[in-house]
């Protein structure tokens, strides 16, 4: 089944404790992206990657890192999480062609206390 | 002005009604347009692409008006299962993707 898989689905952590949210897609998509969704603010792009070893900042990159060593994986790293990073996170992938649209992962609900 | 704007709603409509949502965008160079559906606390799912010529998928019709910079979504014969938040998405040059904050639809029995 074609899908984007995110893990974990739920995570509660403490301020400053490094964490990684994994994202993997099995559709051979070139383009991958991370979003966070907050009430009233909608989906905001954190980072995106147009292909292996190519990553770029989105609208809200502060406090996050990403890597794209393989085409299928695009992990999101929070080196020192803070409470303002409490949010619902989605990974998404797409073929490079813009008309294709995104496939989203099921989301990761992160709480930083 | 926001890059992509939607009326947040909620739109409360009876079953069987026709309902329409609009979404305006500010970047005249925007290239691709989509409607997504998002159920509460779940991932957005692609509903349909939006073309200048308009496109229809069953009870759903999407239109693009480049001159006025808006896209629309029309839902005919609303079902209870159509209750969700509808997001418009605009892709611009350089792979910039902007989501609207969504319009909430509640279909009432």
């Amino acid at each position: 089944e074609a899908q984007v898989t995110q893990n974990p689905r739920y995570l509660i952590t403490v301020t400053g404790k490094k964490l990684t949210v994994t994202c993997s897609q099995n559709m051979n998509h070139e383009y991958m992206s991370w979003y966070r969704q907050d009430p009233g603010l909608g989906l905001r792009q954190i980072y995106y990657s147009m292909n292996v070893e190519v990553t770029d900042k989105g609208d809200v990159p502060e406090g996050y890192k990403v890597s794209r060593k393989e085409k299928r994986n695009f992990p999101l790293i929070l080196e020192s999480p803070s409470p303002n990073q409490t949010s619902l996170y989605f990974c998404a992938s797409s073929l490079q062609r813009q008309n294709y649209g995104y496939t989203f992962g099921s989301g990761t609900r992160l709480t930083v206390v | 002005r926001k890059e992509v704007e939607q009326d947040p709603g909620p739109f409360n409509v009876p079953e069987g009604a026709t309902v329409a949502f609009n979404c305006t965008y500010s970047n005249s160079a925007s290239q691709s347009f989509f409607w997504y559906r998002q159920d509460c606390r779940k991932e957005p799912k692609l509903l349909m692409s939006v073309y200048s010529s308009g496109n229809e998928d069953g009870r759903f019709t999407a239109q693009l008006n480049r001159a006025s910079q808006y896209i629309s979504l029309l839902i005919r014969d609303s079902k209870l299962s159509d209750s969700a938040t509808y997001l418009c998405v605009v892709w611009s040059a350089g792979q910039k993707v902007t989501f609207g904050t969504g319009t909430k639809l509640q279909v009432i029995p």
Side-chain angles (χ1 to χ4, degrees):
Chain A
E1 182 190 351
Q3 59 186 359
V4 177
T5 303
Q6 279 179 246
N7 280 297
R9 291 292 306 277
Y10 301 92
L11 179 60
I12 301 174
T13 190
V14 296
T15 299
K17 185 176 181 182
K18 180 180 179 179
L19 67 91
T20 299
V21 184
T22 62
C23 174
S24 181
Q25 50 93 4
N26 62 0
M27 296 167 281
N28 203 36
H29 285 171
E30 299 94 350
Y31 187 88
M32 297 186 75
S33 185
W34 276 101
Y35 287 85
R36 60 178 288 174
Q37 187 172 34
D38 302 287
L41 297 176
L43 281 147
R44 293 180 293 167
Q45 193 175 44
I46 302 170
Y47 269 95
Y48 64 95
S49 169
M50 287 200 271
N51 217 323
V52 176
E53 301 293 1
V54 180
T55 62
D56 272 299
K57 294 177 181 179
D59 296 316
V60 288
E62 295 78 20
Y64 304 95
K65 286 172 61 176
V66 293
S67 68
R68 189 92 182 271
K69 295 187 173 67
E70 308 161 282
K71 198 171 189 179
R72 62 183 291 125
N73 295 324
F74 191 45
L76 179 69
I77 302 154
L78 284 72
E79 294 271 3
S80 182
S82 62
N84 64 11
Q85 292 178 297
T86 292
S87 188
L88 177 58
Y89 291 85
F90 288 107
C91 180
S93 72
S94 176
L95 285 174
Q96 198 69 285
R97 291 181 291 116
Q98 291 178 347
N99 285 338
Y100 193 75
Y102 277 134
T103 300
F104 280 86
S106 300
T108 296
R109 186 163 292 279
L110 172 65
T111 302
V112 183
V113 298
Chain B
R1 183 184 173 187
K2 286 184 181 177
E3 290 185 58
V4 178
E5 290 199 72
Q6 293 183 253
D7 182 340
F11 284 59
N12 297 313
V13 302
E15 270 187 290
T18 296
V19 62
F21 312 131
N22 280 346
C23 167
T24 59
Y25 61 95
S26 61
N27 184 352
S28 59
S30 298
Q31 297 172 341
S32 302
F33 308 87
F34 303 89
W35 283 103
Y36 280 73
R37 171 199 169 119
Q38 186 175 25
D39 294 290
C40 189
R41 297 173 180 265
K42 297 210 170 168
E43 74 273 23
K45 293 189 176 173
L46 181 62
L47 184 64
M48 56 202 308
S49 303
V50 188
Y51 306 118
S52 296
S53 55
N55 52 311
E56 189 173 313
D57 183 2
R59 297 181 293 108
F60 297 82
T61 301
Q63 295 273 359
L64 166 63
N65 185 317
R66 283 195 183 272
S68 300
Q69 294 184 204
Y70 74 86
I71 64 173
S72 63
L73 178 68
L74 181 79
I75 305 175
R76 288 180 297 276
D77 189 24
S78 299
K79 312 289 184 194
L80 295 176
S81 57
D82 293 334
S83 298
T85 297
Y86 291 83
L87 307 172
C88 73
V89 182
V90 176
W91 287 64
S92 303
Q95 302 290 344
K96 180 169 172 56
V97 181
T98 306
F99 282 76
T101 51
T103 297
K104 187 171 182 179
L105 171 66
Q106 186 70 46
V107 181
I108 304 161

